[in-house]
Amino acid sequence: MGNYKWNNPEQLRSLLCEVVSWDSRTHTEGERKFPFKLQQKLLENDYFKQHPDYLSLHEADPGRNLVTALYKHQDATDTVVLISHFDTVQTEEYGDLEDLAFNPELLTKELIKRKNELNEESRIDLESGDFLFGRGTMDMKMGLVLHMSMIEKAISEDWPINLVLVTVPDEEVNSAGMRAAVKVLVALREQYTLSYKLFLNAEPSFTQKPGDENYYIYSGTIGKIMPAALFYGKETHVGEPLKGMTANYISTFMTQLMEWNALFCESERGESTPLPVSLQQKDLKLQYSTQTPYRAVALYNVFLMKRTAQDVMNLFEQVALKAAKQCNEAYQLICAQARVKPIGKVSVIRYQELLEYAEKKLGKKQVEKLLSDVLAHDEWDEREKSLRAADELLIRCSELAPAIVLLFAPPYYPAVNSSDDPLIKETIELVKNLALKEFELEVKQIHYFNGLCDLSYVNYQDQSYGWTTFEQNTPTWGSLYNIPFQQMSELQAPILNVGPFGKDPHQSTERVHINSAFVQTPKLIESLLKELFSVKPTM
C-alpha cells in the first residue's frame, strides 16, 4: 500500500476545503488561476513528476485552461475518463458572509450562530452536523476531489486500467471547457493508444423535490437548446399607431404560444422534460422616445431527450407560423375597423434564409463585415450577439418585414443516454448492491440528470445530422461559438454520473453531505472501477 494523501475521510475533507478555497467563479481571475493551482497540487504525487507529459494544461479559450491528468498502466488500453468542472457560480447571495463562501469550516460554524435565519430544511441539516456548507462544496468540487483520490489510488495500487482525469472551466455558462476537452480527449486517445470504455462524471446527486433525501445515480443527462426570435415590425410615431406595427405586439403572440407549450415536452422511461419557458423578452430601443419599438427579441428554453436541433427548429417554426397567423388575423381586424390599409403581413423566416437573402442583396463581404462588427462588442454576451447579428441583417433587408426571424442562441447541450448499455446496467446493479450491503443505502437510478452536465459533449449519436440545422441557424457559429460534433461522435463509450449527495446548488445554503462525500461515494466509485475492470485487491 502506498503513502496516501487523499484517501481517508479526514484527508478528503481537508482536500475539499483547500480546493474550495481556490475561488474559481466563472469568468473571474480565480477561474483562470485554478488550473495552475491544481497542477501544482497534483505534482505532489511523484508519479506526475516522473511522467510530466501525463499532466497537462490545455487552452479552453483565451485565458482559461482545462486540466488533464493521465494514469497509464503499461499493459492496459481500457480507459475510464473522469469528468468534472471546477468553476462555480457567483456568491452575492451570501450577503455579509460572502467572504466566508469559500471557507466551508468557518462558514458552517458561522451559520450555526445564525441558524434562525435559515429555512427549516437548511436549519435542520445544519443542526444535524451532517453537512458542510460553502460555494462549490456540492457543485462540484467534491466530484473533482473524488477523482483526484481515484487517480492516487490507481497509481499507488498499480491498477491494470488507465484513468484520464479531466476537469474544465465554464460549465456554469457555456461549457467552453468541455467543448475544448473533446478535441483533447481524441488527441490523447491517439497519442497513448487508449480505448475509452466509460465516461464517468461526479456531479452531485440532486434532490428531485424539496425534502428529498434519496441518493441518485444517473445513466444519462438531459439536453438543452435555446430557440430565439427577432421580431421586426415597422416604426411609426405614437400619434399615428396604425401607420406601423410594434415588435412588442408581434412578440406577444409568439411568447403566448411558446410558454409552457407541451409540444416541446418529451417523455422517456417515465421521466419528462420540463416545459419550455421564455428566458428573455425585450425590445431593442436604446432610449425613450415617441417612436414606437419596431425591433424586439426573445429567448426560449427548451429541454431535450431524443430530439435534435433540426427537430426543435421544425417545431419552433410550426409555432411561429401559428403565431404569425393569429397576429395577422388580429391586426387585419383592427385595420378593417379603423378603415386603414394594413402595412403588410407578418412572415416567418429562418436565420439561414435571412443570411442567404442578405448575401445576395449586399454581397458576402459586406455581410461578413456587419457580423464581425457585432462580434466586436465585448459588452454583449454570446446570446446578445446572436440576436444583434440577425437584427443588423434585417435592418438592411427591411423589405422582408414585418417578420419573425427564427434562430438559435448558445449554449446547446445535446441529451445523452446510456441506460440500455450492458456495462451501465451491470454498473448500476453493482452500485445498488454494494450501497445496500455496506451502508444500508438505497440507490435510485435516474435516466436523465436534471441539471445540465458536461457529459452532453461525449458519446454523441445523431445519424440524421440534425446538428447541421444548429450550425446554419446560429449567427455566432464558427466565429464565437463551436461544438465539435464530429469529434464528439468519435468518443463512443457509455456515460454514468456518480457523485456525492448535497442540497441547494447555486444558493447560499449550498452544502454537501459529509458521510456521502467522504465515506460512501469514494467507496462506491472505487468499487465500480475495480469490479468492472478486474482490479484485484492489494495485499
Side-chain angles (χ1 to χ4, degrees), residues 79-263:
T79 306
V80 177
V81 181
L82 306 171
I83 298 172
S84 64
H85 69 85
F86 58 75
D87 64 314
T88 72
V89 294
Q90 304 301 311
T91 51
E92 294 92 340
E93 68 274 17
Y94 283 88
D96 66 331
L97 292 179
E98 190 172 10
D99 288 347
L100 297 181
F102 300 107
N103 191 325
E105 303 290 7
L106 285 181
L107 176 65
T108 305
K109 284 176 185 171
E110 185 59 35
L111 286 173
I112 290 169
K113 299 176 190 173
R114 306 182 181 203
K115 61 186 181 183
N116 293 330
E117 297 174 16
L118 302 181
N119 63 53
E120 186 182 15
E121 188 177 345
S122 300
R123 180 181 55 75
I124 290 168
D125 285 349
L126 179 67
E127 289 178 335
S128 73
D130 292 338
F131 287 84
L132 196 59
F133 288 66
R135 175 60 78 239
T137 51
M138 173 195 182
D139 184 15
M140 71 162 293
K141 287 181 175 174
M142 190 60 224
L144 168 58
V145 164
L146 289 167
H147 290 169
M148 292 168 72
S149 176
M150 292 307 124
I151 285 268
E152 182 189 57
K153 268 184 187 291
I155 290 166
S156 194
E157 299 175 9
D158 196 33
W159 291 3
I161 60 169
N162 305 316
L163 298 178
V164 180
L165 181 151
V166 181
T167 191
V168 300
D170 193 55
E171 189 269 355
E172 299 291 1
V173 180
N174 288 317
S175 278
M178 192 60 205
R179 287 183 286 118
V182 169
K183 297 171 187 177
V184 174
L185 286 169
V186 171
L188 285 175
R189 185 190 62 185
E190 303 305 319
Q191 186 177 354
Y192 296 107
T193 322
L194 307 176
S195 177
Y196 296 140
K197 297 299 181 185
L198 176 66
F199 293 104
L200 184 63
N201 206 339
E203 287 276 11
S205 172
F206 277 65
T207 55
Q208 296 293 295
K209 58 187 177 183
D212 186 3
E213 300 291 332
N214 289 312
Y215 179 72
Y216 300 105
I217 59 176
Y218 306 86
S219 52
T221 184
I222 203 168
K224 167 199 165 92
I225 197 165
M226 212 141 53
L230 167 70
F231 307 97
Y232 201 111
K234 186 177 187 319
E235 74 283 3
T236 185
H237 187 282
V238 290
E240 300 179 296
L242 287 176
K243 279 194 173 181
M245 181 187 290
T246 69
N248 297 345
Y249 180 73
I250 306 169
S251 69
T252 57
F253 290 91
M254 184 70 171
T255 296
Q256 277 277 7
L257 291 180
M258 278 300 295
E259 196 97 17
W260 304 326
N261 189 336
L263 193 64

Side-chain angles (χ1 to χ4, degrees), residues 445-486:
Q445 176 187 2
I446 286 183
H447 298 284
Y448 289 91
F449 179 66
N450 54 319
L452 296 174
C453 169
D454 281 329
L455 287 172
S456 281
Y457 300 106
V458 295
N459 201 37
Y460 182 70
Q461 296 177 18
D462 174 14
Q463 304 307 318
S464 65
Y465 297 97
W467 50 268
T468 56
T469 303
F470 185 83
E471 289 186 356
Q472 292 160 350
N473 291 285
T474 303
T476 54
W477 181 264
S479 50
L480 193 69
Y481 187 78
N482 290 285
I483 299 176
F485 290 108
Q486 203 60 53

Side-chain angles (χ1 to χ4, degrees), residues 9 12-13 16 130 132 137 142-143 145-146 215 499-502 512-523 525:
L12 288 171
R13 183 168 179 152
L16 174 64
D130 292 338
L132 196 59
T137 51
M142 190 60 224
V145 164
L146 289 167
Y215 179 72
F501 177 71
V512 72
H513 190 275
I514 290 167
N515 197 39
S516 175
F518 306 133
V519 179
Q520 296 172 347
T521 316
K523 178 72 174 173
I525 294 175

